[in-house]
Amino acid sequence: MNFALRDWLDELRQTGNLRTVSKEVDSAYELSAVGKKLDGKAAVMFNNVKGYSIPVVTGLAGSRSLFAQALGTDQPGMVEKFNYALDHPVTCDLVEGDGLAIKQNIIREPYINLGEMLPAPIHHAKDAGAFLTAAMLIAKDPETGEKNVAIHRHQIMGKNKLGALLLPRHTLHMFNKAEVKGVALEVALVIGVHPALLLASQATTRFGLDELEIAGALAGRPIQVTKCETVDLEVPIEAEFVLEGKMLPGVREVEGPFGEYPRCYGPESPKHIIEIQCVTHRNNPIYHTIIPATLEHLLLGAIPREAVMLQLVRQAVPTVKAVHLTPAGGCRYHAVISIDKKFEGQGKNAIFAAFASSSEVKHAVAVDADIDVYDSQDVEWAISTRCQAARDVFVIPNAMGNKLDPSSNDGISDKMGIDATVPLAEEAGKYEKITIPGLDEVNLSDYLD
């Protein structure tokens, strides 16, 4: 499997899943408006962004089927393949930088001007400015050297300065270690990679497991990396841009607001600051932006989280059939778990496991195996016909949630579980779905005039 952004764009062209826009578009709002119109329908390449010579691509994988294609599998096998990669990481191959495409252009301070170099869009009406939304941040633990890869939002706040929203996860954990010592955390921001690398970066796994090694397992071969020019980090050679810099200790500046995945604004507040000291990029590079709250954004978060959720639910309820983080819940807050229930209480155990898989999960629903977790009407039907609130609904108050949830108290959130599975003692036919024999075989074109 080829593992570069350009290889993926070729696949999209061949399958009719890439549209191009030659008309001049403004990076402020217009680009995002067109991309949003194509959300879930096709990726789009903007070849004429006002003020820039660099094309911009968005919507690389706007459906589960495209993400499955990017992983070289089908939709039913996608989560299982991701789980296999979590358990079988593949060590990266280090290669020399001489002659590599990512080193074709090397720009160092004081010649860096991020606003002029990168066609980063302004996405939403109240966004504080242009943000990098598809940059994988690579860093090393300052004590152990263990690596981490993640995607954060980064506001362009100066010629060589970026803001960074760090939620209480691995990057913040490493930065806190560095800040206590009074030193900067070296970082590299990688832009323009294959969707499978982006997916690997979103793995909610144990600290110290290198997400590039998970990507290697997904690719079926080691990811080739090379050393950065100014920081002690290695980055994938099959990338379009690399921004090398340092996250500064003791420095915070106001960043935001920014339109986020819950389809509301993350407010302005003091955030961490990165100073960029070197930028490397390919000749004729392609810039990738993720439009917030599009399916590309939501599914990038959903698929790796579903893989971890499936692992944990399977430990609690071995007969789990499927898990799903719903788009309406930002692919973070609402989970649906399908189980083949054998014992009373398994529905609630599945819900507790779903909560344990991610602090972001806010509401979880357990359903029987005859319910399609991807069909919101089917799930709502199960709740409406198989659930009694006094018996089947429970609330866990004041748990850790997500700060981007506007209803939370600075990230403290209540959790609600709904067990919409059929009680085993009940007569089975009482809850049976009605069916019309031959319905699936009917072709309306054979009947309508």
Side-chain angles (χ1 to χ4, degrees):
M1 182 193 302
N2 292 322
F3 231 51
L5 171 62
R6 297 177 185 217
D7 296 318
W8 178 243
L9 293 177
D10 286 342
E11 280 194 52
L12 293 177
R13 287 189 189 95
Q14 292 166 12
T15 56
N17 287 303
L18 178 65
R19 307 289 175 83
T20 57
V21 175
S22 298
K23 177 184 176 181
E24 183 182 75
V25 296
D26 199 313
S27 61
Y29 313 127
E30 186 179 12
L31 186 152
S32 295
V34 176
K36 187 76 170 181
K37 287 283 189 180
L38 287 166
D39 182 27
K41 302 179 179 68
V44 56
M45 177 86 80
F46 298 91
N47 291 319
N48 188 4
V49 180
K50 185 178 180 180
Y52 297 93
S53 61
I54 297 171
V56 176
V57 66
T58 191
L60 291 182
S63 68
R64 287 180 176 270
S65 61
L66 280 176
F67 270 115
Q69 181 181 329
L71 297 183
T73 185
D74 55 15
Q75 289 187 66
M78 180 166 49
V79 170
E80 293 292 358
K81 181 166 184 176
F82 200 92
N83 269 330
Y84 179 86
L86 291 175
D87 294 333
H88 300 84
V90 175
T91 303
C92 297
D93 275 349
L94 182 64
V95 298
E96 295 296 327
D98 293 343
L100 296 177
I102 194 58
K103 303 285 190 177
Q104 287 171 335
N105 300 270
I106 301 175
I107 305 100
R108 300 174 185 261
E109 267 292 272
Y111 302 105
I112 295 171
N113 188 325
L114 297 174
E116 294 181 356
M117 295 171 65
L118 303 176
I122 303 175
H123 293 292
H124 297 113
K126 293 185 178 180
D127 284 0
F131 283 75
L132 316 186
T133 57
M136 298 194 315
L137 184 147
I138 300 176
K140 286 183 182 177
D141 186 284
E143 295 177 350
T144 66
E146 294 174 317
K147 287 183 285 187
N148 184 69
V149 186
I151 297 177
H152 307 277
R153 76 185 198 210
H154 298 283
Q155 182 181 343
I156 297 178
M157 300 176 69
K159 291 180 64 176
N160 73 322
K161 185 168 65 174
L162 296 171
L165 170 63
L166 302 187
L167 295 175
R169 298 177 191 151
H170 295 166
T171 303
L172 181 59
H173 176 65
M174 293 190 298
F175 174 78
N176 287 342
K177 286 186 176 184
E179 189 171 46
V180 166
K181 299 175 184 292
V183 299
L185 180 70
E186 294 187 331
V187 299
L189 301 175
V190 181
I191 302 172
V193 296
H194 191 279
L197 266 78
L198 295 170
L199 272 176
S201 77
Q202 298 303 288
T204 52
T205 186
R206 64 173 176 81
F207 181 69
L209 179 56
D210 185 352
E211 285 82 359
L212 293 182
E213 296 185 356
I214 297 172
L218 294 174
R221 62 169 176 82
I223 299 300
Q224 291 184 308
V225 297
T226 192
K227 288 186 176 296
C228 288
E229 295 293 307
T230 62
V231 294
D232 183 25
L233 293 167
E234 298 80 39
V235 293
I237 65 171
E238 295 174 314
E240 299 291 318
F241 291 92
V242 174
L243 282 59
E244 303 176 12
K246 295 181 178 181
M247 192 176 295
L248 304 178
V251 178
R252 307 290 190 273
E253 294 186 17
V254 173
E255 177 261 16
F258 178 69
E260 275 284 2
Y261 67 84
R263 289 177 286 181
C264 50
Y265 290 95
E268 68 176 25
S269 64
K271 302 293 196 315
H272 300 78
I273 296 297
I274 299 171
E275 282 190 353
I276 301 299
Q277 56 209 33
C278 182
V279 176
T280 70
H281 65 82
R282 301 173 61 119
N283 289 337
N284 303 311
I286 300 168
Y287 182 83
H288 176 212
T289 190
I290 295 172
I291 300 173
T294 57
L295 285 171
E296 177 184 26
H297 186 190
L298 301 181
L299 292 174
L300 267 175
I303 294 163
R305 285 170 173 80
E306 289 172 350
V308 173
M309 183 181 293
L310 184 61
Q311 284 186 336
L312 289 181
V313 174
R314 185 171 284 155
Q315 291 176 26
V317 183
T319 54
V320 60
K321 296 300 181 184
V323 299
H324 177 46
L325 289 163
T326 71
C331 286
R332 305 285 201 285
Y333 298 160
H334 287 185
V336 184
I337 312 110
S338 169
I339 63 171
D340 183 7
K341 189 167 79 171
K342 303 298 183 184
F343 304 97
E344 287 298 351
Q346 283 188 318
K348 290 183 174 63
N349 284 0
I351 290 168
F352 283 124
F355 287 148
S357 73
S358 171
S359 63
E360 295 166 305
V361 177
K362 183 178 177 183
H363 301 144
V365 181
V367 297
D368 293 293
D370 64 331
I371 301 299
D372 182 356
V373 297
Y374 299 104
D375 184 339
S376 60
Q377 291 201 48
D378 212 21
V379 173
E380 187 175 344
W381 176 82
I383 295 171
S384 68
T385 61
R386 299 177 178 183
C387 171
Q388 284 296 312
R391 178 191 68 195
D392 299 317
V393 178
F394 59 94
V395 175
I396 304 168
N398 299 321
M400 178 183 254
N402 187 284
K403 290 187 177 184
L404 293 176
D405 173 7
S407 71
S408 74
N409 181 13
D410 196 29
I412 301 302
S413 179
D414 296 342
K415 312 279 184 173
M416 182 173 69
I418 301 176
D419 184 353
T421 59
V422 173
L424 293 177
E426 294 276 7
E427 179 186 346
K430 182 178 178 181
Y431 296 92
E432 185 178 355
K433 290 182 179 181
I434 60 173
T435 60
I436 298 176
L439 176 65
D440 292 339
E441 286 72 42
V442 167
N443 186 338
L444 284 176
S445 63
D446 295 336
Y447 296 85
L448 298 177
D449 295 332

